[in-house]
Amino acid sequence: MKKRLSKKTYVKRISAVLIAVLLICALPAEPSYGLLSPLSQVGAPAKVTTFKSTADTDAEEYLRAYVTTADDHVLKVIYRTPLETSLFRLSLYRVGENKGDIGLDIFIAPTMARAGNGTETYNFTYYLNMDEYEIEDGYYNIYIRRCATAEDAAGLKYTNSGVLNKNMEICVKDGQVKILRYMDVINYNRQVMEIGSLYDTSLYLDNSLEDIRFVLRNPATGIYSSITAAKQSYIRSVANRITAGITADYEKLRAIYEYTAGNFYYDSVAFQTHNNQYCDPYENIFSFETGRTGVNSQNGRVYTTCQGYSAIFIALARSQGIPARLVYGHRLAVPSNDWRTEQNIDVRDHWWVEAYVDGRWIFVDPTVGTTNAYNSSTGKWTVTGVTNYTYFDPTEEQIAHSHVYMNIYPDYRYGKYISNPYEVETLRSFLNTASGGVLNGKILNSSYDPNDKETWGDGVKSHFMTDGSGNVTQIQWSNYGFTGTLNLPDFTSMELLSSWQNNYETVDLSGCTKLGKVFLYNNQITSIDLTDCPSLWYVRAQNNPMKRAALYVNGRNRTITAGDNGTFYFTLDTRYADSALSLYSAADIGYKLQGIYNAGTGKLVSTQTVRHFTPTAASYEIRFTPDPDSYKYTLYPGDASAAKLPYIQAAAKRMAALGYYTPPAGTSPGEETSYTAAMAEAAKKFQVMTDLKNTGNIASLTWKALFSEDAPGMVSDAKFEGILVEYQARKAAQAEAESIMNTVSLKASSEAGKGYIRVSWTCSAAGYVDGYEIWKSTARTGGYKKMFTTSKQTYKNTAGLKKGTRYYYKVRAYKEVGGKRICSGWSNPAYRIAK
């Protein structure tokens, strides 16, 4: 229960609120591998004691936080803003489950100061005591809002002024507080930023915006406009007015940020529906400046999405000779979410800007500097102007609380920039190889020219990437029907290979030391080599008839091989240490898994067809054994149905392996398209060898014998002739016996005494038969079980009787001929009640 404050204290503590509009992206959300392996999961954040939103202590706006006391239960919050503020409101916003503002009734009167550039600022320092406010365990974002004027403060009107800051997360446990620092996101963002830092700044000064032409597309017509010299002049005149009297480029950028964030409106419906996203900066600026009503404006109020905000900023900045470029990535829905609760980290859904000033690229996101919004479904306008400067030149720890970099536009790493001689020749060899009679390069691009790397791709630039230094970093060529081999060993800069839904048979990616993610599912791969790939952490290779895999996992190279009569496939995900490798064994028809063995020691590791484990042995062997219970269909000569064909081919391979069957010249066992007469003849021979009725059909008994571990192999022709003679004589004798036994009749009777029931019977061929089987049940028509075998014609049952229960008995005679028991029909049921 929170502590109530006095009226005096209540009035002293205040802030401002940002309407919770999700100010994200101008492009449809879609999974993207990006230029690096996507950050699909963020590890546990570091728990630290300090935070700073900007590195500049003279900045107009900043947030500083410190955990101050020895027992870590007090958080010192220091904040300043150039936005007019009469009262601040400080609260906590719970993240995840039960999310929401938990309002602490903390209202703070501002003190006045000046920033390094002379701007007057509104400031406060507050010591937030977790014990005093009885903060429950959980994760929270610091939530700072304002009442802009004295009139607003008198009515505590902070809800329409916007949130000043909502992007610094803390963790509270047992009254102790820690600040969260997401190092995974920081390190990931650094990778993309470092790549962008290599590009020449002059590449980002094109006032025609041809390098990011997609912002000029009219979504209604699909037509791309041009930023002509006249339009450039107009944009420059607006920028000159915005920055009038300002000499420093950094301050010019701040003025452009205020203009962009303060005067345009975010259209959430356009983003959600992926329609009507008008991003042309000239059209948007002109409509605002002239009060025009147009396709995305009403009397000068212009609505757009984050790509539009970013394009306006870039156009104005470049007109002042300041390099500026687009960045795309993912933005978290703060303050209600954090990276622990976010489900779509690797989805591209937001655009922002980097601008080059004072020898460095700074982060600028004008979209989140306002909550100006327009709902094109309801016609409602929300007007707040600039509400914060949180993402004007923030620190990397501030960025990491809500933004993940994916790419910097324009990108100068497309495949046409490959220059590594070895990789060029290796790829040229692949592209010059034919699949289905067509060169792989032609399959990707009908204009493929082996000597023109501009044509070495499928038209999707991000599918074939380099590192900006001529080395391949990413290949995504899936679902093209490529056949044969994919050999790209020692591509030492490649981080992603995605080539699923093709028909590769072998793949060699050994020595790709930076390779992290591999997608090769739905191919025909029998062998894959991923050795000496120490960065490997995610592989999807399912639905491949694999016989051998070599991969680097758990600190060393490992191999997996499948024995005869089965295959396997695997997936790898080292984020989950206890089940990094998932191994799926797939037995051929007629077989089952015997086990997974340590190939070095021969020790059985598992008998599971799906095994999740962290491999520790150098090599594993998967063994298969015949499965007599895999019978499903009776095979007759001439059968060719799709359902039976796999079983026909399995029987052919098994009979060939045992020596009974030889396929037609030029074919191999398992390529049959029907159950042929030659296969039926082979089945007859096998039936002779196993003393089964030699019909040539493969039914249940023949299948079980064929796929048993002790199935006999074919013998020499001479020996088989002797076996056949014996078989025929035996079958003739058995047929004669069956004929006689079919005529035998039995009549049974019974009597009961104390503790016993005696059954007696007569037999019409007592001198011919070898003996009798006595069967018993407590029901007349079913449930009989064999009790006894005898050569006599009487049986005294003393065991298993229950007084008062009626028991039924049936008898049949049998004759043993050639190892086979041939039985007569049943006697009548004889019954008695046990005494």
Side-chain angles (χ1 to χ4, degrees), residues 719-730:
K719 191 171 183 179
F720 179 75
E721 285 300 322
I723 293 173
L724 178 59
V725 169
E726 293 176 1
Y727 170 86
Q728 290 172 337
R730 185 168 56 253

Side-chain angles (χ1 to χ4, degrees), residues 160-340:
N160 292 324
S161 298
V163 175
L164 293 169
N165 196 288
K166 59 180 178 178
N167 300 46
M168 191 207 90
E169 190 179 6
I170 62 173
C171 173
V172 179
K173 184 175 177 60
D174 299 328
Q176 294 183 315
V177 60
K178 291 291 184 184
I179 300 167
L180 301 187
R181 185 170 296 160
Y182 286 96
M183 293 307 303
D184 279 4
V185 182
I186 289 174
N187 291 331
Y188 188 85
N189 286 345
R190 282 176 182 170
Q191 294 180 67
V192 184
M193 291 177 182
E194 287 169 1
I195 291 169
S197 69
L198 299 174
Y199 299 148
D200 193 316
T201 57
S202 65
L203 297 171
Y204 300 98
L205 282 170
D206 179 14
N207 288 323
S208 71
L209 303 188
E210 285 300 309
D211 59 330
I212 50 172
R213 184 166 175 74
F214 51 86
V215 303
L216 306 177
R217 178 179 178 273
N218 184 314
T221 64
I223 296 173
Y224 292 83
S225 64
S226 297
I227 303 295
T228 62
K231 291 179 180 179
Q232 292 175 34
S233 177
Y234 179 80
I235 293 172
R236 187 179 305 111
S237 68
V238 173
N240 288 342
R241 189 191 77 238
I242 294 168
T243 61
I246 303 174
T247 58
D249 284 351
Y250 189 89
E251 296 305 324
K252 286 183 179 181
L253 290 174
R254 188 194 304 277
I256 293 170
Y257 173 88
E258 292 169 339
Y259 174 87
T260 307
N263 294 310
F264 297 90
Y265 295 78
Y266 187 83
D267 183 359
S268 58
V269 174
F271 161 62
Q272 292 164 0
T273 61
H274 307 152
N275 293 318
N276 298 321
Q277 299 188 49
Y278 289 89
C279 301
D280 185 324
Y282 169 78
E283 293 295 330
N284 288 337
I285 292 171
F286 185 80
S287 293
F288 167 70
E289 292 287 337
T290 61
R292 184 171 66 176
T293 294
V295 290
N296 66 316
S297 62
Q298 294 181 18
N299 299 319
R301 292 195 292 190
V302 179
Y303 46 92
T304 182
T305 50
C306 60
Q307 191 181 101
Y309 274 90
S310 298
I312 291 168
F313 186 96
I314 288 172
L316 293 169
R318 288 185 181 182
S319 77
Q320 297 298 296
I322 304 173
R325 62 193 184 189
L326 272 174
V327 179
Y328 85 68
H330 178 68
R331 179 171 178 253
L332 186 67
V334 291
S336 57
N337 269 6
D338 64 12
W339 297 120
R340 298 172 311 105

Side-chain angles (χ1 to χ4, degrees), residues 518-597:
V518 177
F519 298 83
L520 285 168
Y521 54 91
N522 294 0
N523 276 281
Q524 296 297 318
I525 300 170
T526 59
S527 175
I528 185 170
D529 191 343
L530 288 163
T531 54
D532 300 320
C533 297
S535 301
L536 196 66
W537 67 276
Y538 190 83
V539 181
R540 290 184 62 190
Q542 62 266 43
N543 298 332
N544 285 293
M546 210 167 293
K547 301 292 289 185
R548 183 182 185 277
L551 66 157
Y552 191 99
V553 64
N554 195 27
R556 64 186 290 189
N557 291 325
R558 318 282 172 176
T559 60
I560 304 167
T561 57
D564 293 337
N565 306 312
T567 61
F568 68 92
Y569 63 81
F570 70 95
T571 61
L572 175 74
D573 191 338
T574 60
R575 292 174 300 179
Y576 309 105
D578 293 337
S579 59
L581 184 73
S582 296
L583 186 61
Y584 302 79
S585 304
D588 292 345
I589 291 174
Y591 296 85
K592 60 185 175 181
L593 177 67
Q594 179 178 335
I596 303 168
Y597 293 82

Side-chain angles (χ1 to χ4, degrees), residues 475-492:
I475 293 176
Q476 294 185 61
W477 291 335
S478 298
N479 200 23
Y480 282 107
F482 297 137
T483 61
T485 61
L486 176 66
N487 291 336
L488 305 176
D490 301 315
F491 276 45
T492 54

Side-chain angles (χ1 to χ4, degrees), residues 32-34 36-43 182-189 191 330 339 342-347 400 403-406 517 537 575:
S32 173
Y33 296 125
L36 304 166
S37 299
L39 185 66
S40 56
Q41 182 169 335
V42 176
Y182 286 96
M183 293 307 303
D184 279 4
V185 182
I186 289 174
N187 291 331
Y188 188 85
N189 286 345
Q191 294 180 67
H330 178 68
W339 297 120
E342 185 74 343
Q343 299 297 311
N344 60 341
I345 298 169
D346 54 359
V347 172
H403 289 67
V404 169
Y405 273 70
M406 289 183 182
K517 297 190 75 172
W537 67 276
R575 292 174 300 179

